[in-house]
Amino acid sequence: MSPCLVDGCAEGVGVNWRPLIEFVVSVGYGVLSSVIPIFNSEIYIVASQVGGFTDEVTTAVGCAVGQAIGKVGIVLAIRRGSRSRTVQRLRERRERPRKPAGRVRTRLRAWSDRLLGLLGNHRWGVPIVFLSACLAIPPLYPVTLAVPATRMSVIPFGVAVFSGGWCCFSPSPSGSRHWSTEPSRRRAARC
């Protein structure tokens, strides 16, 4: 008789598949949330913990890994897409002199240019991405869209997004005790 999954455990085998399934689903949701900002990883993590559906560590690590994979994918897609004819035409249009603007728009352009300059700097780029992933200051999605215009390598970018996401998503010691210790014990007792 083949083993069947009951509550995440294979009957008669003793293998617990639940953490792997939780991790894979969390990675998928992390990728989805990194590409489509309306799907928020923080809300997914809180909802899964309050409902007792998943363990906090697998959910937090899965969402951080998924978010890093999605953001690195966006950066690579934008960098590779920059070689297309449409993007080259847009760049030629952009190289024209800027139209005069009001005070607010001029300040915004100056701030944006400084931020892009700092993202390209080897000393400040990775910390800006880390703070963006951890605290959302500045928001991570616009930073991700700005990184391809800089010389920042994809590997430090991915590590900064993962570590910042891990800091953001990791459970606090008091919160993890209250959220899912009991459901975890119940699941372990069943297996």
Side-chain angles (χ1 to χ4, degrees):
M1 187 167 145
S2 66
C4 65
L5 284 177
V6 176
D7 291 332
C9 298
E11 280 186 25
V13 178
V15 176
N16 187 356
W17 291 97
R18 188 176 202 126
L20 179 64
I21 293 168
E22 291 172 358
F23 179 75
V24 169
V25 169
S26 296
V27 167
Y29 198 87
V31 170
L32 178 69
S33 74
S34 69
V35 175
I36 305 171
I38 196 165
F39 294 101
N40 196 331
S41 289
E42 291 87 351
I43 293 173
Y44 169 76
I45 292 170
V46 169
S48 66
Q49 297 305 305
V50 170
F53 305 123
T54 62
D55 289 331
E56 62 273 357
V57 175
T58 55
T59 307
V61 172
C63 282
V65 167
Q67 189 175 37
I69 290 170
K71 297 296 183 186
V72 166
I74 289 172
V75 168
L76 289 176
I78 292 174
R79 282 190 178 163
R80 301 243 165 97
S82 66
R83 297 183 190 119
S84 72
R85 289 181 185 173
T86 307
V87 172
Q88 288 176 356
R89 275 189 245 137
L90 287 173
R91 281 189 180 165
E92 289 171 4
R93 275 181 61 193
R94 202 171 127 203
E95 289 174 1
R96 297 178 196 159
R98 290 182 173 175
K99 295 179 182 177
R103 236 179 16 187
V104 174
R105 187 177 284 176
T106 304
R107 286 184 184 170
L108 184 62
R109 281 182 183 170
W111 182 81
S112 176
D113 291 342
R114 270 188 250 129
L115 178 64
L116 270 177
L118 286 176
L119 275 175
N121 188 336
H122 65 31
R123 184 177 301 182
W124 292 103
V126 175
I128 288 173
V129 172
F130 175 79
L131 286 175
S132 178
C134 188
L135 302 174
I137 301 172
L140 185 58
Y141 200 76
V143 168
T144 302
L145 296 178
V147 164
T150 66
R151 286 189 239 153
M152 183 185 293
S153 174
V154 175
I155 294 171
F157 173 76
V159 169
V161 169
F162 170 73
S163 56
W166 170 247
C167 289
C168 178
F169 301 146
S170 66
S172 66
S174 63
S176 63
R177 271 196 305 256
H178 297 296
W179 279 353
S180 68
T181 302
E182 286 303 316
S184 296
R185 285 186 187 159
R186 280 189 233 132
R187 282 194 294 261
R190 280 188 233 153
C191 295

